[in-house]
Amino acid sequence: MRLTQSSPFQFSLVILLVSLLSACGFHLRGDYDIPDALDTMSFTSYDEYSTFTRVVKRQLRMNEINLVTPAENVPNLTLVSESISERTLSLYQNTRAAEKELTFHAVYRVTIPEIGDKTFTTSVTRSYLDNPLSALAKSVERDMLEDEMRKLAASQIIRQMARLKANIEAGTMNLDKDGAKISTKEMAQQEADRKAQEKVGSDLSNSDSVN
């Protein structure tokens, strides 16, 4: 069997390409292309010590976003609320829940100086079998699912931030999916929806803390 070795020319070509990429300022980021205007931003949360807050912070750093102290001239990402709800999908013959569905719901707001702010929501849904004969395994599985949903929700937040490039170029946060400016009536409806989302998220969070 004959082994193929890299020629000096191929090696030199690789070195040249690496040098060119470095010279033009190219660098790998995370999974998403965050706009340059959001390279530096502040991050606040309704609960600075929650697991989801730590997960989102980790995602921001993975995408090379420099987190700084909140200021009027600095973009901001705010976690407004988070909650986990569940519903029964199927039952055993004894009417006990056999399969359950978990939904992680988060409300967050992105503020960009001189452009405005916009509130978004993200949801992740997963299902699992509720086996009454293995309560410990069921508890561990649920914890793992919740961690997975938080990570996916954090990724969705970063993905949405990457989509704000059109808003930044247009100078407004009020754009529809086709990039056109939203009318005053639509803006008012969005504001009403935003307040309703925040209230629902807050109520769910308070309910979870009481339980």
Side-chain angles (χ1 to χ4, degrees):
M1 180 181 294
R2 184 178 179 182
L3 297 177
T4 302
Q5 296 181 345
S6 299
S7 67
F9 173 75
Q10 291 174 321
F11 180 75
S12 300
L13 183 59
V14 171
I15 296 298
L16 177 60
L17 288 174
V18 172
S19 300
L20 289 174
L21 290 174
S22 299
C24 70
F26 177 82
H27 61 286
L28 295 177
R29 306 191 64 168
D31 295 331
Y32 308 106
D33 186 16
I34 304 298
D36 293 339
L38 300 180
D39 275 346
T40 297
M41 64 188 312
S42 60
F43 174 64
T44 54
S45 173
Y46 81 99
D47 183 355
E48 293 294 331
Y49 304 101
S50 72
T51 301
F52 188 50
T53 296
R54 295 196 300 269
V55 171
V56 173
K57 278 185 177 179
R58 190 180 307 122
Q59 278 286 342
L60 292 170
R61 294 190 176 107
M62 284 176 57
N63 284 271
E64 298 186 5
I65 295 176
N66 182 32
L67 298 179
V68 298
T69 302
E72 291 185 358
N73 61 340
V74 175
N76 173 263
L77 169 64
T78 299
L79 293 185
V80 177
S81 65
E82 62 168 302
S83 61
I84 295 180
S85 60
E86 71 173 45
R87 69 185 184 97
T88 300
L89 296 179
S90 61
L91 300 172
Y92 291 112
Q93 290 182 347
N94 60 2
T95 70
R96 293 195 58 170
E99 185 179 12
K100 290 185 177 181
E101 180 184 79
L102 296 177
T103 299
F104 179 88
H105 183 78
V107 180
Y108 61 99
R109 180 169 57 250
V110 179
T111 303
I112 304 177
E114 300 182 3
I115 294 181
D117 64 79
K118 189 170 184 178
T119 299
F120 302 91
T121 62
T122 184
S123 298
V124 179
T125 301
R126 290 290 183 271
S127 60
Y128 72 102
L129 294 177
D130 189 7
N131 187 350
L133 300 180
S134 55
L136 179 59
K138 179 185 64 177
S139 176
V140 172
E141 180 184 6
R142 173 161 178 153
D143 290 342
M144 292 176 63
L145 283 177
E146 290 183 3
D147 287 341
E148 177 190 353
M149 289 191 295
R150 289 188 182 97
K151 291 176 182 177
L152 289 173
S155 296
Q156 290 176 3
I157 290 175
I158 301 301
R159 186 185 303 122
Q160 179 60 57
M161 288 174 55
R163 294 173 179 165
L164 292 176
K165 183 177 181 180
N167 298 82
I168 295 172
E169 292 176 348
T172 177
M173 296 294 282
N174 296 300
L175 296 180
D176 62 20
K177 62 180 181 180
D178 296 320
K181 289 187 178 181
I182 298 175
S183 66
T184 303
K185 182 178 180 181
E186 291 173 320
M187 289 170 58
Q189 182 60 50
Q190 284 193 354
E191 178 66 14
D193 293 342
R194 178 184 71 81
K195 292 181 178 179
Q197 290 168 353
E198 291 186 4
K199 185 177 186 304
V200 170
S202 177
D203 291 344
L204 288 172
S205 298
N206 293 335
S207 176
D208 291 342
S209 63
V210 170
N211 294 334

